[in-house]
Amino acid sequence: MHYSSWLVLVALFSGIVIGGGFVVILFFSVSRSRQAVQVSSNTVPDGVDQILDAMDSAGIVVDSSLNVVKATAKAFALALVSNARLTYPELIDIAQRVRRTGALVDEEVELQRGRFKDASVRVHVRASLLGSRFVVLLVEDRTEGYRLEAVRRDFVANISHELKTPIGAIGLLSEALHTAADDPEQVRMFADRLNAESLRIARLTQDIIELSRLQAVDAVANAERLEIDHIIAAAVDQNRVGADAHAIELVVGAPTGASVYGDSKLLVTAVDNLISNAIRYSPDGSRVGVGARVAEGVVEIAVTDQGEGIPEADQERIFERFFRVDQARSRTTGGTGLGLSIVKHAVQNHGGDVRVWSQPGMGSTFTIRLPEADEPAPALHGPAAATPSQGEQNQ
Ligand code: ADP
C-alpha cells in the first residue's frame, strides 16, 4: 500500500479511538450527574440502587463501619458526605443508633455548617436498617420552611405588640372617663384621646389587611392602563388637608402623559404613603415636591422633602415591616411602621421598585420606578386596555 494511504488509515483509526473515548467519558459523566454515586465497592441489596437513583432528595447508605457506600447527588450538594464518610456528627450518631437498636429513627436535626459553624441547616432525617449490614438515611432539607415560619411568627409577634399598646390605652382611658364623669372638661379630653387610639387601631388593621392582600400572588390580576398623572393627582389630593395643617406646600411637577399597567388603588396608595411620610417627617412650613418623568421605558415618580432625613445605616431597613428609625416619633406622628412595606410590595407587584436617597438634616427623596405601558395598548391587558381611558380621549 502507498505510504500516504497508510497515513490516512492510521489517522482514521486514531480518530475513531479518540472520538469513541470522548463519547464513553461523556456518557459516564452524564449518567453520574443523574444517578446516585457509588462511593465504595461494597454492594447494596438489590433494588436499593434503583430507588436511590430515582430519588430527588438526599439519600445515603452506610455499611457496618459507617463508610458511605452509596449517596445521591443531593446528599453531596448538602455536603452530608465527604471522603466516603458522613460529615456531620449528628448523622453519625443517628446511623450508630440505628445499628445498635435496629429501630427506625425519624427526627428533625439542626446541622451547624460553615467554617465557623455560624450557619445551620434544618433537616428531617429518617434512618433504618437495610438488610443486616447497612443503614439507609433519607435526609430532607427543611431550612426554607423554617425560615418562612420564623418570618411569619415574627410578623404575628409584631402585630400583637403593636395592637397591645392602643388596646391597653383604650382600657385605661375608659377607666379614667368613669372617674372623671363629673368633670366635662376632662371627659372631653379623655374622649378625644380614646378617639385617637381607636383611629390608630383602625389604621393598623387597615395596613395589615393591605399588606396581606399585596403578598397574595394575584394582587394585580386585573391590570388596567393607567395615566400616571391621574395617580399622582389622586394621591396629592388625599394629602392636601394634612399638608395644610402643617403649612407644608405641596409642589406638583408638570404632567408627563405617561401610562403604566396596574391597579389604580394600589398605585395611589403607594404614592399616598410616600407623600404622607414626607409631610409627617418634615418641619412645619417646608415644601414637599411630587414629580414624574419617563426615561427609556421607565416611569419614575419622585417624592422629595426637606425633612429630618434618614441615617444611611437605616436606609435599607426602612422598607421592613414595623421598622422605624425612631419608634416614639413614628408613633406620635400616627405611623404604623407598615407604610413603606406596603409601597415596596405594591410597586414590586407592578414589576417596579422603590429607592431612597436621603441625608440627615437635608431631606429625603423616594423614587418609585415602574415599566411604562407599551404603545399601542395590547388587548390582553384587561378591559381598560381595549377602550381608551378618559385622559387618552381628551388628548
Ligand atoms: P411609619 O408608619 O413609622 O412612618 P413607614 O414604613 O412608612 O412607617 O416608614 C418607616 C420609617 O422610615 C419611619 O418610621 C421613619 O423613621 C422613616 N421614614 C419614612 N419616610 C421618611 C421620610 N420621608 N423622612 C424621614 N424618615 C422617613
Side-chain angles (χ1 to χ4, degrees), residues 207 273-282 303-305 307-311 314 317-327 329-331 333-343 356 358 363-366:
D207 278 2
N273 283 2
L274 292 185
I275 301 174
S276 75
N277 274 357
I279 294 169
R280 281 190 295 124
Y281 298 105
S282 289
V303 178
T304 303
D305 64 55
E308 62 201 52
I310 302 153
D314 293 329
R317 301 206 56 199
I318 52 173
F319 297 97
E320 290 172 19
R321 295 178 294 203
F322 296 118
F323 180 86
R324 292 142 166 149
V325 175
D326 178 344
Q327 289 287 346
R329 169 115 172 78
S330 162
R331 287 226 171 85
T333 58
T336 61
L338 294 175
L340 289 179
S341 250
I342 291 175
V343 175
V356 60
S358 185
S364 313
T365 297
F366 285 82

Side-chain angles (χ1 to χ4, degrees), residues 88-106:
Y88 292 100
E90 293 86 349
L91 296 185
I92 296 174
D93 174 60
I94 289 175
Q96 280 170 335
R97 238 185 306 152
V98 171
R99 278 206 63 73
R100 210 172 43 245
T101 62
L104 181 126
V105 170
D106 186 347

